Amino acid sequence: SQQGEEDPQALSIQEGENATMNCSYKTSINNLQWYRQNSGRGLVHLILIRSNEREKHSGRLRVTLDTSKKSSSLLITASRAADTASYFCATVPVSNTNAGKSTFGDGTTLTVKP
Amino acid sequence: NAGVTQTPKFQVLKTGQSMTLQCAQDMNHEYMSWYRQDPGMGLRLIHYSVGAGITDQGEVPNGYNVSRSTTEDFPLRLLSAAPSQTSVYFCASSYGQGNQPQHFGDGTRLSIL
């Protein structure tokens, strides 16, 4: 079964609003990564947060990690139409430090209306 | 840099045919992986490699073979295509262990009739 599960499955907002999506996972992790996938393209890495970090920022992106609740959230502030994409979380378990064995969730599809 | 290059971009096969999906990366990454993505779902790991000559199975390896004779190339072979293998296939590479992002190709869209 998938390690990570995103919530909500779909999110539709107006340009300028903030978008928040959540990821829950089941086992202890080494790190958690967020990726974006535009329609018909491969995944693009956005941000990585290690298990000993609680919050990380990158431009308009803010990621939090709560290891006690086994959950993470991705906040996109001041959204733009170009942010329309699917967003996936991926986890690397403590038992396996090989990034190639990341486990992906089913994603959140974000639509930003102009 | 080209990054991760996958060929072909699209392919239609008949049940029982075999084919090889190509993946090449020019970043000198040790780690390479193959995933499949079914509609509305995330990626599931098929096979991965931690270096030339070393491969291992992922979550859904049945019906697929891989080899890693060079650092740059990691082909995925479908031995006898089945309709259940209709999917989008992504190759990814990363440098080092654990805390490194994966770089993805744009995928191969495969339909099995």
Side-chain angles (χ1 to χ4, degrees):
Chain A
S1 61
Q2 295 287 2
Q3 161 79 316
E5 295 183 2
E6 286 90 346
D7 170 63
Q9 289 187 325
L11 181 60
S12 182
I13 60 175
Q14 293 294 133
E15 208 165 26
E17 294 180 338
N18 295 341
T20 300
M21 50 206 87
N22 305 295
C23 170
S24 60
Y25 56 91
K26 298 176 182 176
T27 62
S28 296
I29 60 171
N30 183 287
N31 67 70
L32 186 145
Q33 303 181 32
W34 284 92
Y35 289 82
R36 183 187 74 227
Q37 183 181 34
N38 291 93
S39 181
R41 302 298 300 273
L43 277 70
V44 175
H45 182 261
L46 295 176
I47 197 165
L48 179 151
I49 186 165
R50 293 177 171 77
S51 59
N52 62 352
E53 298 176 312
R54 293 296 170 259
E55 187 171 313
K56 204 162 183 180
H57 296 256
S58 176
R60 293 184 296 113
L61 305 180
R62 172 178 171 256
V63 169
T64 62
L65 179 64
D66 187 334
T67 54
S68 66
K69 295 181 179 178
K70 291 186 170 59
S71 67
S72 173
S73 67
L74 170 66
L75 169 66
I76 304 174
T77 60
S79 63
R80 306 166 182 169
D83 294 328
T84 294
S86 292
Y87 292 82
F88 295 89
C89 66
T91 53
V92 176
V94 168
S95 61
N96 189 335
T97 56
N98 175 5
K101 291 204 76 175
S102 298
T103 303
F104 287 81
D106 288 342
T108 292
T109 299
L110 173 66
T111 302
V112 181
K113 301 175 184 176
Chain B
N1 285 340
V4 178
T5 302
Q6 292 184 238
T7 57
K9 295 188 183 304
F10 303 93
Q11 184 71 48
V12 179
L13 294 177
K14 294 181 179 178
T15 298
Q17 288 185 313
S18 63
M19 79 159 294
T20 299
L21 279 62
Q22 302 291 344
C23 175
Q25 53 93 8
D26 61 0
M27 297 171 282
N28 202 31
H29 285 169
E30 295 178 0
Y31 295 81
M32 297 186 74
S33 303
W34 275 103
Y35 297 88
R36 61 176 288 174
Q37 184 178 33
D38 297 314
M41 297 181 65
L43 278 68
R44 290 186 291 170
L45 182 65
I46 304 172
H47 285 286
Y48 69 99
S49 170
V50 300
I54 307 170
T55 64
D56 205 348
Q57 296 181 349
E59 181 185 356
V60 288
N62 292 342
Y64 308 94
N65 275 356
V66 291
S67 60
R68 185 92 180 272
S69 57
T70 67
T71 300
E72 294 78 19
D73 300 301
F74 190 41
L76 177 73
R77 282 182 289 277
L78 277 71
L79 309 173
S80 178
S84 61
Q85 293 178 305
T86 293
S87 190
V88 182
Y89 291 84
F90 290 99
C91 178
S93 71
S94 61
Y95 176 75
Q97 288 192 19
N99 295 329
Q100 299 294 333
Q102 294 189 74
H103 299 259
F104 285 82
D106 280 340
T108 294
R109 284 145 188 81
L110 182 62
S111 293
I112 315 295
L113 304 178

